[in-house]
Amino acid sequence: MSFGDNDSFFQLDGFDFDHGPDEGGSEAALEEDGIVVPDIKPRRSEGSKPVILMIDDDYSTLDLVKIYLQRNYDFVCYSGPKEAIFYLNNNIPDMILLDCYIHSIKARRVVEIIRSYSELKDVPIIYVAEKDEIGAVMSKLPETVTDVLSRPIARGELQVILDKYIKA
C-alpha cells in the first residue's frame, strides 16, 4: 500500500495525521511528531494463518520476506510507519518486523505508538538491522522490542525467530 512519495498528508476517520482531528472528528492524542493515535480498538484476524506485519522502506527486503512467508503466513507490509499504524488501528498481527532505521519517524517512536495499544502489548516486535550494526542496536534496544533480526534476512534465521515467538 503506497500513498506516493509524499505521505505527509494522511487521514483516518476525520484525523489528519499532520494536523490533528478535523472539525467534528473524534478526539485523539496528537503527538509532537505529528502522529495521531486514534482511540480505536484493533482486533485479531479470523484467518487460519498467522499474520506477520513488516514495516521497512527497503522494497527488496519486503519482496524477499514475502517470498519466504507467503506459503505459511499472511504477510502484510508497508514502506511507511504511518500506513502501518493505520493498519494497526484495526488489526492485531501475530508479529511485527520493523526496520530499526526507518525513514520519516524514528523506530523507537513507532514502537511507543504500537505499545500504546493494550491489545498490542504482547505482540512480538522484531527489529531488522544491518548485520554489522547488530551490536550497536542491541546496546540501545528499547525494552519493549522483543528481538533483532539481521539484514540481509536469511530464511533460516527468520524461521528461527518465527518458531521462537509465534505459538502454533
Side-chain angles (χ1 to χ4, degrees), residues 92-161:
I92 301 174
D94 294 283
M95 177 179 286
I96 299 170
L97 302 173
L98 174 62
D99 178 3
C100 68
Y101 293 111
I102 193 88
H103 296 281
S104 74
I105 301 173
K106 292 182 179 183
R108 183 178 294 273
R109 177 69 181 123
V110 175
V111 171
E112 288 174 9
I113 292 169
I114 292 169
R115 293 301 189 215
S116 71
Y117 292 97
S118 61
E119 297 85 359
L120 300 174
K121 69 179 178 59
D122 294 326
V123 174
I125 298 176
I126 311 299
Y127 264 6
V128 177
E130 299 299 325
K131 199 168 267 193
D132 59 342
E133 297 172 343
I134 294 288
V137 169
M138 291 295 285
S139 68
K140 298 177 183 176
L141 194 67
E143 66 181 51
T144 57
V145 171
T146 312
D147 213 331
V148 178
L149 186 61
S150 66
R151 185 193 327 251
I153 297 174
R155 185 188 300 254
E157 186 180 357
L158 177 59
Q159 193 60 56
V160 167
I161 293 286

Side-chain angles (χ1 to χ4, degrees), residues 8-22:
S8 64
F9 178 78
F10 187 76
Q11 286 194 308
L12 166 68
D13 296 335
F15 291 99
D16 176 334
F17 272 71
D18 289 329
H19 303 102
D22 289 344

Side-chain angles (χ1 to χ4, degrees), residues 19-167:
H19 303 102
D22 289 344
E23 287 185 33
S26 302
E27 289 300 315
L30 175 61
E31 301 294 334
E32 61 195 43
D33 55 12
I35 296 290
V36 173
V37 183
D39 186 22
I40 298 174
K41 300 291 185 194
R43 61 189 173 282
R44 190 156 306 274
S45 171
E46 301 282 330
S48 60
K49 293 180 182 179
V51 177
I52 309 299
L53 169 64
M54 185 164 196
I55 308 165
D56 198 323
D57 52 9
D58 180 358
Y59 292 103
S60 61
T61 299
L62 293 173
D63 288 342
L64 181 64
V65 173
K66 180 180 180 178
I67 291 168
Y68 290 164
L69 298 178
Q70 66 187 355
R71 187 171 299 152
N72 299 316
Y73 300 90
D74 284 333
F75 183 66
V76 180
C77 61
Y78 293 97
S79 61
K82 289 181 181 182
E83 294 89 349
I85 292 166
F86 175 76
Y87 169 83
L88 290 170
N89 284 325
N90 294 303
N91 301 281
I92 301 174
D94 294 283
M95 177 179 286
I96 299 170
L97 302 173
L98 174 62
D99 178 3
C100 68
Y101 293 111
I102 193 88
H103 296 281
S104 74
I105 301 173
K106 292 182 179 183
R108 183 178 294 273
R109 177 69 181 123
V110 175
V111 171
E112 288 174 9
I113 292 169
I114 292 169
R115 293 301 189 215
S116 71
Y117 292 97
S118 61
E119 297 85 359
L120 300 174
K121 69 179 178 59
D122 294 326
V123 174
I125 298 176
I126 311 299
Y127 264 6
V128 177
E130 299 299 325
K131 199 168 267 193
D132 59 342
E133 297 172 343
I134 294 288
V137 169
M138 291 295 285
S139 68
K140 298 177 183 176
L141 194 67
E143 66 181 51
T144 57
V145 171
T146 312
D147 213 331
V148 178
L149 186 61
S150 66
R151 185 193 327 251
I153 297 174
R155 185 188 300 254
E157 186 180 357
L158 177 59
Q159 193 60 56
V160 167
I161 293 286
L162 293 166
D163 292 344
K164 184 175 180 180
Y165 297 109
I166 295 182
K167 309 299 180 234

